[in-house]
Amino acid sequence: MPDFLLPDLGEGLTDAEILTWLVEVGDEVRVDQPVVEVETAKASVEVPIPFAGRVSALFGNPGERVLVGSPLITVDEAGAADRARSAAGSKPAATEAPAAPAASEAAAESSEYSGNVLVGYGTSSAPARRRGRLRRPGAAASASNGSGPVATSVISPVVRKLARDRGIDLAAVRPSDPSGVIRRCDVEEFSPVQAPAAVSREPAEAAVRPAAAGIERVPLAGLRKAMADKLSRSRREIPEATVWVDVDATGLLEARQALNAARPDEPVSVLALVARFCVLGLQRYRELNSRIGEDAVEILPDVNLGFAAQTPRGLVVPVVPKAQALTTRQLSAALTARTDAARGGSLTPAELTGGTFTVNNYGVFGVDGSAAIINHPEVAILGLGRIIDRPWVHDGTLTVRQVSQLTLSFDHRACDGGVAGGFLRFVADCIENPVTALGEL
């Protein structure tokens, strides 16, 4: 009965939260079949199992955090052979051990768990001890009179975020779906009168709780903690400098309008045009597409373009790999697709890592400028402020133009102000006169 342990999901992730089980005890599983959906600090991921057999135990309930290397599922690899013998008329061997007595359950609970995080690695006898007390998604947890709560699971990170924002304990929400899955409408329509007299509150589901009168605590966990750690490291390690320039974006908007009129089925966004100009600039000022090594600046061959995206789970930075190989329309489509996936919580960790340069369109929040924090281990980030009507001297005449502000934060170890200023001026010139970019394509 091998235990399937939570694998290393990459990029230094040490744990994950169980979102929903995709199998139940007794199910047959095949090699590489997804068996559980977990949420890491970067994305929601379906985890496949590396062997086949019959599931005899599930370790953990939705909402619990599991350490990398801890058991997720026990699979009886002999199950298939047993059922084959049964079909041939022979009696199958028992594959389920009975649940241990209550005292043994309590001892197992004490020794195998720390808080709400699974820490045990499991032995051949551990599944038999724990099998009886683990809840399966959609299975009833109430007494026979039906007065208690039902076991539930939450699939959508959007639903979890909505509950956290409203201070709602998902353990108290009754799902309208017969499968036991809590949906957005269940949270939106939740009223405290739904809650049973006694509800066990799981820390993973109650992210926002009053600590004292007038005070709220928002735990730094999951995505928020990952971003906090990365930004803190950036500030600690990177000698950062920022340069900025006001830019006349009237020509940019006119170019976008012409492009979209020619191909309305493949629209190009403002972010895509600015990103394209950044990619061109990085091929000229290559020090800004680099990493800081032990004793050298490591200039990278490909522009893996990251862009800041605000989602219900918080800020994420999806990455478009090898952006220099894409046309402007292809780049725009990739940015749109990854934005939609980020907001839906379906990006994989691979799609959120490996960036070499980041673009941040904070203008969508109605602000003009920002000294953005560099996305470690990159060495630069470009920000675009809102585009608004402003007085501007154009062709020797004071007129109203559509103006924005560009900022570039850069690691001074990677380059000096001449390189940073040259790159920023190149991007600004492309925005003011997009025709000039044609010479670089």
Side-chain angles (χ1 to χ4, degrees):
M1 289 190 183
D3 281 346
F4 172 45
L5 310 182
L6 178 64
D8 182 355
L9 299 173
E11 294 296 323
L13 299 174
T14 59
D15 63 8
E17 179 181 342
I18 296 174
L19 288 182
T20 185
W21 289 104
L22 305 178
V23 296
E24 297 185 357
V25 171
D27 288 352
E28 285 286 339
V29 294
R30 62 185 184 278
V31 175
D32 291 335
Q33 175 182 338
V35 292
V36 64
E37 183 182 11
V38 300
E39 183 178 53
T40 71
K42 294 183 177 293
S44 299
V45 182
E46 289 187 352
V47 181
I49 195 166
F51 37 75
R54 186 171 66 87
V55 177
S56 58
L58 304 178
F59 301 112
N61 295 315
E64 290 182 349
R65 299 203 71 82
V66 185
L67 292 177
V68 169
S70 297
L72 282 174
I73 295 181
T74 295
V75 171
D76 178 9
E77 293 184 307
D82 290 339
R83 277 178 291 286
R85 286 195 299 272
S86 177
S90 60
K91 183 177 180 180
T95 58
E96 288 276 358
S104 299
E105 290 289 342
E109 181 80 18
S110 173
S111 63
E112 291 156 13
Y113 285 83
S114 173
N116 70 322
V117 179
L118 273 163
V119 296
Y121 280 75
T123 64
S124 58
S125 61
R129 290 201 311 271
R130 293 177 284 188
R131 186 176 299 119
R133 63 183 171 85
L134 294 176
R135 184 176 68 202
R136 297 196 304 271
S142 59
S144 59
N145 60 14
S147 60
V150 296
T152 59
S153 63
V154 182
I155 292 180
S156 171
V158 175
V159 174
R160 307 175 74 83
K161 174 67 162 53
L162 179 64
R164 286 196 293 266
D165 289 346
R166 298 189 178 193
I168 295 175
D169 183 353
L170 286 172
V173 178
R174 287 185 177 275
S176 57
D177 192 294
S179 68
V181 175
I182 296 176
R183 304 193 182 281
R184 180 169 186 160
C185 61
D186 299 323
V187 176
E188 291 176 337
E189 297 171 3
F190 174 78
S191 171
V193 298
Q194 291 181 251
V199 177
S200 61
R201 299 183 64 85
E202 299 179 13
E205 299 291 5
V208 180
R209 296 185 181 180
I215 297 176
E216 287 188 349
R217 290 176 58 82
V218 181
L220 282 175
L223 179 64
R224 287 185 182 275
K225 186 177 187 304
M227 288 303 299
D229 291 344
K230 175 171 281 195
L231 298 178
S232 296
R233 183 175 182 183
S234 178
R235 284 298 195 198
R236 282 196 310 269
E237 297 184 7
I238 297 178
E240 182 180 293
T242 302
V243 291
W244 61 91
V245 63
D246 289 339
V247 58
D248 180 0
T250 307
L252 178 77
L253 298 182
E254 291 173 348
R256 176 177 180 253
Q257 183 178 13
L259 287 170
N260 292 344
R263 299 269 293 275
D265 57 323
E266 294 182 275
V268 174
S269 65
V270 169
L271 177 62
L273 289 173
V274 174
R276 163 54 62 198
F277 300 151
C278 286
V279 171
L280 294 176
L282 291 171
Q283 292 176 298
R284 175 179 291 192
Y285 300 92
R286 300 176 60 232
E287 296 95 327
L288 292 171
N289 192 62
S290 65
R291 294 275 192 274
I292 301 297
E294 288 292 330
D295 55 2
V297 176
E298 300 171 355
I299 298 176
L300 304 172
D302 293 320
V303 178
N304 297 333
L305 188 70
F307 64 99
Q310 195 67 40
T311 75
R313 298 176 62 236
L315 179 68
V316 296
V317 184
V319 175
V320 178
K322 298 186 178 180
Q324 79 279 1
L326 302 179
T327 66
T328 302
R329 293 190 189 277
Q330 289 172 336
L331 180 58
S332 185
L335 293 172
T336 300
R338 278 168 170 73
T339 298
D340 292 342
R343 290 172 179 165
S346 61
L347 285 174
T348 65
E351 293 171 319
L352 289 164
T353 56
T356 62
F357 183 89
T358 295
V359 178
N360 184 3
N361 182 15
Y362 45 72
V364 296
F365 301 116
V367 299
D368 296 325
S370 171
I373 299 177
I374 296 170
N375 186 25
H376 186 278
E378 299 169 14
V379 301
I381 179 171
L382 182 131
L384 175 68
R386 61 177 178 163
I387 301 175
I388 60 174
D389 289 343
R390 287 184 180 174
W392 191 264
V393 176
H394 178 69
D395 291 337
T397 302
L398 182 63
T399 185
V400 175
R401 303 284 285 182
Q402 293 175 299
V403 177
S404 182
Q405 184 180 91
L406 296 178
T407 61
L408 178 72
S409 298
F410 66 99
D411 187 334
H412 226 309
R413 297 172 299 177
C415 66
D416 56 25
V419 170
F423 170 83
L424 186 61
R425 190 63 254 172
F426 173 85
V427 175
D429 289 344
C430 289
I431 289 175
E432 292 189 336
N433 186 9
V435 175
T436 62
L438 292 176
E440 305 292 331
L441 294 174

